[in-house]
Amino acid sequence: MVMRVLVAENDYHLASSIKRGLEAEGFAVDVARDGRAGLARAEIGEYDALVLDVVLPLLSGYRMCARLRQAGNWTPILMLTAEDGEHDEVEALDNGADDVLSKPCSLAVLLAHLRALMRRDIRERPAVLSAGDLSLDPASHRVRRGTAEIKLTPRQFSVLEFLMRRAGEVVGKRTILEHVWDFAYDGDPNIVEVHVRHLRQKIDEPFGRRAIETVRLVGYRLDENGG
């Protein structure tokens, strides 16, 4: 899925491991090392899910979760608790978390929990995105032109999903970078052009279509009718 996730975790090695693992699956990941920084990012960022450790400096994961819910922020929250922490699990759920996972856990299990949360999140997300005969299924991670299945890399899939969720809108490079890579990405912004070119070679050119339009000096727009 093309999903932007905030991970609030003060264990540097664990946070780095989660970030690398999720990014390898096509997620855009921001990391906060304490609860206050995490809360500030969650309040201003457009995240698809939050992964919060219970024990965070300055502001606990419980309080961070509770404050977001009190402010009307219903972004899906996966809380990480201590192993066999039954009390932690109860308190996490009582404070508004959607799911709880005990540490340590494998990346595969973390991914499964995140994807389950996103499937349950009903905020204006259709099960399958479509633009004409171009379709993208976030749950099964499949893209099709008509009946022809198209194989994309995780990052290509992420870029396409982001554009399809905003079909008809002009989306700038920086916006794509912030949502599909991560908030703090400071590499070459031309990486977006590279991925868009590769997408065109897969979803457009073999089918004689032009779904992704370049709007000069502004960004890209995906044709609502699929090109």
Side-chain angles (χ1 to χ4, degrees):
M1 296 181 182
V2 51
M3 295 293 166
R4 190 173 175 210
V5 176
L6 173 66
V7 176
E9 169 61 64
N10 70 321
D11 183 314
Y12 175 81
H13 296 292
L14 178 57
S16 298
S17 177
I18 292 173
K19 180 178 171 69
R20 287 194 304 270
L22 293 181
E23 287 178 339
E25 293 294 322
F27 288 75
V29 183
D30 292 333
V31 174
R33 299 292 303 281
D34 64 70
R36 287 183 186 169
L39 181 64
R41 286 204 169 190
E43 288 175 334
I44 64 173
E46 295 180 5
Y47 292 103
D48 298 285
L50 310 176
V51 179
L52 313 180
D53 190 12
V54 165
V55 182
L56 292 171
L58 304 181
L59 186 70
S60 72
Y62 299 135
R63 298 271 55 84
M64 182 178 165
C65 180
R67 290 190 187 183
L68 288 170
R69 297 308 190 225
Q70 289 164 6
N73 184 324
W74 296 102
T75 302
I77 292 177
L78 172 61
M79 194 82 81
L80 301 179
T81 72
E83 186 176 9
D84 299 324
E86 183 177 292
H87 174 75
D88 289 344
E89 183 173 346
V90 171
E91 190 164 353
L93 294 171
D94 284 347
N95 276 283
D98 298 281
D99 193 9
V100 182
L101 188 58
S102 295
K103 298 190 296 183
C105 64
S106 69
L107 177 64
V109 171
L110 178 63
L111 278 167
H113 278 254
L114 272 178
R115 287 175 174 146
L117 271 185
M118 292 170 182
R119 285 196 298 272
R120 298 205 305 262
D121 182 20
I122 60 174
R123 298 173 303 165
E124 82 240 5
R125 288 205 184 118
V128 177
L129 303 173
S130 62
D133 66 347
L134 179 65
S135 65
L136 180 148
D137 186 343
S140 65
H141 220 265
R142 288 195 171 105
V143 174
R144 289 185 172 87
R145 269 284 189 193
T147 58
E149 185 165 349
I150 302 169
K151 299 296 185 183
L152 300 180
T153 66
R155 191 71 74 183
Q156 290 165 3
F157 187 95
S158 297
V159 173
L160 179 60
E161 183 177 356
F162 187 75
L163 291 174
M164 289 187 73
R165 291 196 184 280
R166 291 154 180 79
E169 301 176 16
V170 178
V171 184
K173 285 184 188 177
R174 177 53 56 184
T175 300
I176 296 173
L177 283 171
E178 289 178 355
H179 286 77
V180 178
W181 273 259
D182 67 49
F183 186 79
Y185 179 81
D186 60 358
D188 187 350
N190 289 328
I191 191 68
V192 177
E193 294 181 16
V194 173
H195 281 76
V196 168
R197 182 171 69 250
H198 291 165
L199 273 176
R200 285 174 170 148
Q201 291 170 352
K202 292 183 176 183
I203 70 168
D204 281 347
E205 293 174 11
F207 305 93
R209 305 296 185 83
R210 297 184 63 183
I212 303 176
E213 174 189 0
T214 298
V215 181
R216 193 168 181 271
L217 302 179
V218 181
Y220 302 96
R221 176 169 51 214
L222 189 131
D223 187 344
E224 295 173 284
N225 297 313

